[in-house]
């Protein structure tokens, strides 16, 4: 388990922000052409870290399969800004070849910003191999990474039934037990997304029960609102009835 106190780059106020929020934009203009991949590809191997970072960031905006091998290599770059940019680039250019390198880097990178980018990329890969590392990150990592791991687990809905079933338990655990309200909110949203892909069985019923419990009992208003939205999105009759009853009784 990672210790949040050991990560000097992530303080209490900014740890839930995007790693890219702290970087200067590639250009000063918002209405400009996207970077030219022909110019950016050679820079992925530039000897200066700043140039490698800018090139990797370009592929956060540009999809080009030729960049994938270079971005995979940059996951182990000595500069953390290059590594996080490479992770984001792979999230925009997902590839089965990137899954194992991303999983490996998630398990060994000391930098929380990098791990945030990696869990986002793993979610975008939509690969069953991502389930276990994302579930582990949701249980054990710092709050910023747990937040994104919950969102990434929602992507398991596009893989298949068994993967959806595997994603539900860690999300329920986080919804009920995580000490950070935004992580609980993201877990509620993810459960709602996954429930839409489930038949009416015991797994579905257990997930709905967890949403109902959080809606009725969570002390954070934002979590209750997000859980309510998840229940409304699923359209489960029990959840809808509870929402109606509690609102009629003036609970909310």
């Amino acid at each position: 388990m990672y210790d949040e106190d050991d990560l000097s780059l992530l303080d209490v106020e900014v740890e839930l922000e995007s790693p890219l929020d702290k970087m200067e934009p590639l250009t000063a203009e918002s209405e400009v052409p996207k970077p030219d991949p022909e110019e950016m590809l050679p820079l992925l191997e530039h000897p200066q870290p700043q140039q490698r970072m800018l090139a990797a960031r370009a592929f956060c905006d540009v999809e080009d399969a030729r960049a994938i091998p270079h971005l995979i290599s940059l996951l182990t770059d000595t500069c953390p800004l290059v590594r996080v940019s490479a992770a984001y680039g792979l999230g925009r250019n997902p590839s089965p070849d990137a899954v194992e390198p991303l999983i490996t880097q998630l398990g060994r990178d000391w930098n929380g910003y990098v791990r945030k980018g990696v869990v986002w990329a793993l979610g975008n890969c939509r690969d069953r191999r991502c389930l276990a590392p994302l579930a582990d990150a949701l249980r054990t990592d710092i709050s910023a990474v747990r937040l994104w791991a919950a969102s990434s687990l929602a992507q398991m809905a596009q893989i298949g039934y068994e993967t959806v079933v595997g994603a539900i338990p860690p999300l329920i655990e986080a919804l009920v037990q995580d000490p950070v309200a935004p992580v609980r909110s993201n877990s509620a949203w993810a459960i709602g997304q996954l429930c839409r892909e489930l038949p009416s069985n015991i797994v579905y019923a257990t997930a709905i029960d967890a949403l109902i419990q959080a809606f009725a009992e969570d002390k954070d208003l934002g979590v209750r609102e997000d859980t309510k939205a998840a229940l409304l999105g699923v359209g489960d009759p029990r959840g809808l009835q509870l929402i109606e009853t509690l609102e009629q009784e003036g609970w909310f």
Side-chain angles (χ1 to χ4, degrees):
M1 180 181 295
Y2 293 97
D3 186 346
E4 301 195 36
D5 294 334
D6 291 338
L7 297 175
S8 60
L9 290 182
L10 293 175
D11 63 37
V12 174
E13 295 181 354
V14 304
E15 67 173 1
L16 298 182
E17 296 177 352
S18 164
L20 298 182
D21 289 344
K22 296 302 180 182
M23 299 182 185
E24 292 298 322
L26 287 171
T27 62
E29 300 292 335
S30 59
E31 299 296 331
V32 295
K34 290 185 177 181
D36 183 353
E38 300 299 335
E39 295 179 2
M40 295 295 106
L41 281 166
L43 295 181
L44 290 170
E45 297 180 335
H46 197 281
Q48 295 182 2
Q50 178 73 9
Q51 295 301 312
R52 296 196 302 274
M53 180 195 72
L54 291 175
R57 287 189 61 202
F59 290 98
C60 301
D61 297 323
V62 176
E63 296 182 22
D64 193 315
R66 295 175 297 172
I68 292 172
H70 303 287
L71 293 171
I72 291 173
S73 178
L74 291 179
L75 286 174
T76 57
D77 197 275
T78 56
C79 175
L81 291 178
V82 175
R83 298 199 304 275
V84 71
S85 299
Y88 268 80
L90 289 169
R92 184 56 62 87
N93 295 268
S95 166
D97 294 337
V99 172
E100 292 298 338
L102 285 166
I103 291 173
T104 298
Q105 198 62 29
L106 177 61
R108 70 185 178 190
D109 205 298
W110 61 268
N111 187 288
Y113 282 157
V114 177
R115 298 198 307 278
K116 286 170 63 177
V118 168
V119 297
W120 179 79
L122 285 171
N124 280 6
C125 286
R126 298 178 176 89
D127 189 298
R128 65 180 66 252
R129 291 173 292 173
C130 302
L131 173 59
L134 288 174
D136 183 67
L138 180 57
R139 292 188 178 104
T140 65
D141 215 310
I142 61 172
S143 56
V145 180
R146 297 199 308 274
L147 183 84
W148 285 29
S151 298
S152 289
L153 281 170
Q155 304 282 11
M156 300 299 106
Q158 302 186 35
I159 299 175
Y161 174 77
E162 295 296 333
T163 311
V164 170
V165 169
I168 291 289
L171 286 167
I172 291 177
E173 180 182 340
L175 174 62
V176 174
Q177 299 182 5
D178 199 281
V180 178
V183 177
R184 300 199 302 276
S185 285
N186 272 24
S187 298
W189 174 81
I191 291 171
Q193 297 298 305
L194 295 176
C195 281
R196 299 180 186 186
E197 305 301 321
L198 287 173
S200 183
N201 58 15
I202 184 62
V203 178
Y204 171 87
T206 301
I208 293 298
D209 285 344
L211 290 174
I212 289 174
Q213 178 183 346
F215 174 66
E217 299 179 3
D218 200 284
K219 296 180 180 180
D220 186 271
L221 177 60
V223 176
R224 295 201 302 272
E225 287 295 329
D226 289 329
T227 305
K228 174 184 174 181
L231 287 167
L232 291 172
V234 176
D236 180 79
R238 289 189 300 131
L240 298 179
Q241 181 61 49
L242 176 67
I243 292 171
E244 181 180 358
T245 299
L246 292 181
E247 289 185 341
Q248 287 178 347
E249 294 178 355
W251 282 56
F252 303 98

